[in-house]
Amino acid sequence: MRRIAAPVLLFFLLCSFSCFGQTFLIVVKEIRDGEELSRPFASQEGMIAAMFDLGFVSFDTGLYAPSVDWEAEEFQEPFDIARQGLAQYILAAEVQSVTEKRNLGPDSGDASATDLEPELKIDTSVHYYLLGVEAAGVLGEGEMVLDNRSPEKQQLTYWQFLFAVGRDVAARGIELLKRITPAS
């Protein structure tokens, strides 16, 4: 039995090391109508869900907001946290949204109907970064501009829409990673 257990244990140990390079710290700043929102952010939750679905390990800092200078692209504290959490990459996103009520037309005399979140127009811009922890630098970055004007997105609440935005950010972050790392 011990002859079988040792190779099996070695196999699982080697597998865990081979997956080690695919761990991400997720860092998000979410702003709605000029004000930073409180955590947890919908976009951050979407990023973590997408990373899981794509087969990657990810974690965030919970309610704690690490210090980031987005304009100067200074991510020192997230690098420190990522090293402590044994992450190889950081996927960081600054998400800014502007909302306004939709014009529902003359038939919408019911005031309660205009207060529903699905009746919001949402314009969102995202600047995202893929950071390498070992190199302590930016490996790639990108921008996205999204809105909820399509019929399938019009009925989403703000939270649902930003969750979907987070999923898109994660997918683009992984595409950046695929472009910069050789296929194995």
Side-chain angles (χ1 to χ4, degrees):
M1 181 70 173
R2 287 186 185 188
R3 288 183 183 211
I4 294 173
V8 170
L9 181 60
L10 181 62
F11 172 76
F12 285 120
L13 186 61
L14 290 175
C15 285
S16 68
F17 285 123
S18 68
C19 297
F20 185 65
Q22 303 301 319
T23 303
F24 291 79
L25 169 63
I26 305 295
V27 177
V28 177
K29 177 179 181 181
E30 194 171 301
I31 300 168
R32 179 178 175 178
D33 299 325
E35 293 185 33
E36 188 170 347
L37 299 177
S38 60
R39 295 168 177 272
F41 302 128
S43 57
Q44 184 171 332
E45 296 293 320
M47 290 169 70
I48 291 172
M51 295 298 276
F52 178 80
D53 292 345
L54 293 168
F56 296 93
V57 175
S58 65
F59 63 95
D60 63 15
T61 59
L63 297 178
Y64 177 72
S67 176
V68 174
D69 184 343
W70 294 91
E71 287 182 27
E73 297 181 2
E74 174 58 45
F75 297 94
Q76 187 55 50
E77 187 176 16
F79 281 126
D80 293 341
I81 293 168
R83 283 184 199 99
Q84 291 172 7
L86 302 178
Q88 273 37 64
Y89 302 101
I90 298 171
L91 185 57
E94 186 176 30
V95 181
Q96 297 191 35
S97 298
V98 176
T99 63
E100 66 179 83
K101 292 191 183 222
R102 292 184 194 279
N103 182 1
L104 298 176
D107 299 0
S108 61
D110 181 12
S112 63
T114 60
D115 293 334
L116 296 175
E117 268 203 327
E119 303 306 328
L120 289 176
K121 288 184 194 174
I122 307 169
D123 292 302
T124 300
S125 63
V126 180
H127 193 144
Y128 59 93
Y129 303 87
L130 176 65
L131 306 159
V133 175
E134 185 177 318
V138 177
L139 300 176
E141 62 184 286
E143 294 186 2
M144 305 172 12
V145 177
L146 304 151
D147 63 53
N148 68 338
R149 305 248 182 336
S150 67
E152 62 274 1
K153 292 183 180 177
Q154 284 183 355
Q155 297 306 311
L156 297 177
T157 65
Y158 177 84
W159 200 94
Q160 291 167 331
F161 178 74
L162 268 286
F163 185 88
V165 167
R167 292 183 71 82
D168 289 345
V169 171
R172 291 194 183 196
I174 296 305
E175 285 302 315
L176 280 175
L177 180 64
K178 288 179 181 177
R179 278 189 252 147
I180 61 169
T181 55
S184 37

